[in-house]
Amino acid sequence: MKRNSVTRPIVVGLVLLVLLISPQVTTSDTPGEESPVATEVLNPESDHGRTRPILSTGTRFLPTFMAVGIAKKMAPQTVADIAVSIPVKKAVAITMGLDREFVAEVTKHLHPIKGVPIINQCPDELVVDVVKILLKQGEGEVPGRLADHLPPEKLISLSKHLSIPENIQVGYHMTRKNLIAKVLAANTDLYLIDLLDECIRRDHYPLIAGVVQEMDSARMIRILAQLDMDPHQKTVFLASLSRHLSPLKSTEIIDLCPDEFIADVVRYLISTGETRITGQFSDCLSRSKLVSVSRLLTMDHVIGVGYYMTNRALIAEVLSEYSDDYLIELFKKTSVMGYTDLIIDEVKAMDINRIQRVLSGLSDDQLEDLLEHYDGATIAQIIQSREKR
């Protein structure tokens, strides 16, 4: 009696599943017309809501080897829907019994969040095989979508079995760039050098920046020194990278680089219309670094960088290291370039005696030309307020 009570659910489940997937079964009175049940199996999103629960229930009761055999006859979409509605352990067991090519097709329909527990418990070797199949098919967005929800430990483990181009393809399609970046940054320096080379070749700078953000800046400098590039290529590389890094991270790297190299990077960014970026990371640099780098730049470059800095007090401190003659020329050029608010901010930060010396160094025509670009009363107020101090 007890044996029958155990066996009956299995038999019922088997019968239901066989009937549902059999192309021979019809309930229509018209010969050759497809049955509603068959339609439900082929189209899991149909209005016949009974099919999926029945399939899931039947799968729960069946031994794994039977469930595997039946799953092979189902559409990948149906298998994906059932997989996330049965116990994870059962879903993993069935997955391991299926052909990898078929699992890849099922994975294309797997819910990105509900499917993660199954993927997480599947052997790495199986998951890696499926990822490789999908990448060969040009379906990189599928593993990328799922990887967004995997725990870092699983991603790190999987990444070790994928080639650099394969890791890049998956990472490219992930929205959580910080997650894949953390995974890739956990590798050796040699691996990261090869990774950077490949990313540069593919022009995947956002991914490179993500990896660099997760790295210690000293390590980045060490890797940068080992890249197989000439000085100009390294200049272009760091300039391109700075477009995607946070200003603070750029500053950490810049502080460790030779002044001439950073001056080259600034020149390149300005020449490509990216002066704003130079102002953003200059805001975070130390006064001593700014002074030493600025002395390697032309006055036009210094004005351009200063204009895009929000920390005007800092650029004023830097310019205080220069001679009165330099500032006189700088005021003239700044006025011509139309950066009048920069001059006002500089004057505010200067000592009253120096303001008078600099302004007295201008001819009447030059001073008149300078005052045309902004409110002369403002300068008078600044001078008067300085005199009262």
Side-chain angles (χ1 to χ4, degrees):
M1 187 73 178
K2 183 180 287 186
R3 181 184 175 188
N4 288 340
S5 65
V6 173
T7 306
R8 184 172 301 162
I10 297 177
V11 173
V12 170
L14 180 60
V15 169
L16 285 171
L17 285 166
V18 169
L19 287 174
L20 284 168
I21 65 171
S22 174
Q24 306 299 322
V25 177
T26 64
T27 57
S28 172
D29 295 331
T30 305
E33 185 177 323
E34 191 178 51
S35 71
V37 174
T39 301
E40 289 172 5
V41 174
L42 294 174
N43 180 16
E45 301 302 328
S46 66
D47 293 333
H48 303 283
R50 294 179 302 158
T51 303
R52 196 178 301 159
I54 292 174
L55 289 171
S56 298
T57 301
T59 303
R60 288 171 183 266
F61 285 117
L62 287 178
T64 299
F65 78 92
M66 288 187 181
V68 169
I70 293 172
K72 292 178 179 178
K73 299 180 181 180
M74 294 180 179
Q77 172 76 67
T78 306
V79 177
D81 290 337
I82 294 172
V84 297
S85 63
I86 62 177
V88 172
K89 187 176 180 180
K90 183 81 170 185
V92 171
I94 293 173
T95 301
M96 292 176 64
L98 296 172
D99 177 81
R100 302 292 164 86
E101 296 282 350
F102 183 72
V103 175
E105 293 303 313
V106 172
T107 304
K108 293 177 185 178
H109 304 283
L110 205 58
H111 191 283
I113 297 178
K114 294 179 180 178
V116 164
I118 301 171
I119 297 172
N120 197 36
Q121 292 194 29
C122 280
D124 288 354
E125 181 247 341
L126 184 154
V127 179
V128 168
D129 283 350
V130 171
V131 170
K132 288 177 178 288
I133 291 170
L134 290 168
L135 292 178
K136 286 181 180 178
Q137 293 177 353
E139 300 281 357
E141 70 277 3
V142 176
R145 180 176 65 240
L146 294 167
D148 272 329
H149 304 283
L150 284 173
E153 298 77 17
K154 186 69 172 180
L155 274 179
I156 290 173
S157 180
L158 294 174
S159 71
K160 294 182 184 302
H161 303 287
L162 296 172
S163 67
I164 287 176
E166 288 168 341
N167 273 315
I168 291 174
Q169 287 181 70
V170 174
Y172 179 78
H173 290 285
M174 290 178 66
T175 57
R176 294 180 62 193
K177 300 297 184 186
N178 63 319
L179 178 58
I180 186 62
K182 191 182 294 290
V183 168
L184 296 176
N187 285 280
T188 65
D189 284 4
L190 184 60
Y191 179 93
L192 288 177
I193 290 169
D194 291 339
L195 175 74
L196 292 180
D197 283 337
E198 184 66 18
C199 284
I200 292 168
R201 189 182 69 79
R202 294 168 178 262
D203 198 28
H204 287 351
Y205 275 94
L207 182 57
I208 300 176
V211 174
V212 172
Q213 286 285 161
E214 297 295 331
M215 291 167 57
D216 177 76
S217 296
R219 187 186 186 196
M220 178 58 204
I221 297 299
R222 186 171 69 242
I223 289 174
L224 181 61
Q226 297 179 69
L227 291 176
D228 186 19
M229 298 177 176
D230 61 37
H232 178 68
Q233 289 174 322
K234 288 186 179 181
T235 296
V236 174
F237 168 70
L238 191 56
S240 301
L241 187 60
S242 68
R243 297 185 179 106
H244 305 280
L245 289 177
S246 69
L248 186 58
K249 192 66 178 184
S250 290
T251 300
E252 290 176 4
I253 295 171
I254 289 169
D255 270 333
L256 298 173
C257 289
D259 296 342
E260 185 56 58
F261 177 56
I262 298 307
D264 285 341
V265 171
V266 171
R267 293 187 197 101
Y268 181 82
L269 284 168
I270 292 175
S271 71
T272 56
E274 301 284 0
T275 311
R276 185 180 299 276
I277 294 174
T278 68
Q280 289 172 346
F281 63 64
S282 293
D283 274 328
C284 305
L285 286 172
S286 65
R287 172 178 174 171
S288 59
K289 189 70 171 181
L290 267 179
V291 170
S292 59
V293 172
S294 68
R295 291 192 183 282
L296 300 172
L297 300 172
T298 66
M299 186 178 291
D300 286 352
H301 289 157
V302 171
I303 293 172
V305 174
Y307 182 75
Y308 284 106
M309 289 179 64
T310 57
N311 190 351
R312 292 293 175 77
L314 177 58
I315 187 63
E317 288 179 13
V318 171
L319 293 176
S320 69
E321 300 288 333
Y322 287 84
S323 68
D324 291 350
D325 288 341
Y326 182 92
L327 283 183
I328 292 170
E329 290 304 314
L330 182 136
F331 273 28
K332 293 177 184 177
K333 281 203 169 188
T334 304
S335 177
V336 171
M337 295 171 74
Y339 294 168
T340 54
D341 57 333
L342 177 59
I343 301 177
I344 289 291
D345 289 335
E346 295 308 312
V347 170
K348 287 179 181 178
M350 289 167 60
D351 176 82
I352 181 60
N353 294 324
R354 192 163 201 209
I355 295 174
Q356 293 173 341
R357 288 198 308 270
V358 170
L359 294 183
S360 64
L362 301 176
S363 67
D364 291 341
D365 290 341
Q366 291 169 342
L367 184 58
E368 182 179 347
D369 181 63
L370 185 65
L371 295 178
E372 282 180 359
H373 295 279
Y374 48 100
D375 187 3
T378 303
I379 293 183
Q381 290 174 2
I382 294 171
I383 294 174
Q384 290 172 5
S385 66
R386 290 288 186 177
E387 289 175 339
K388 292 176 183 179
R389 293 183 183 182

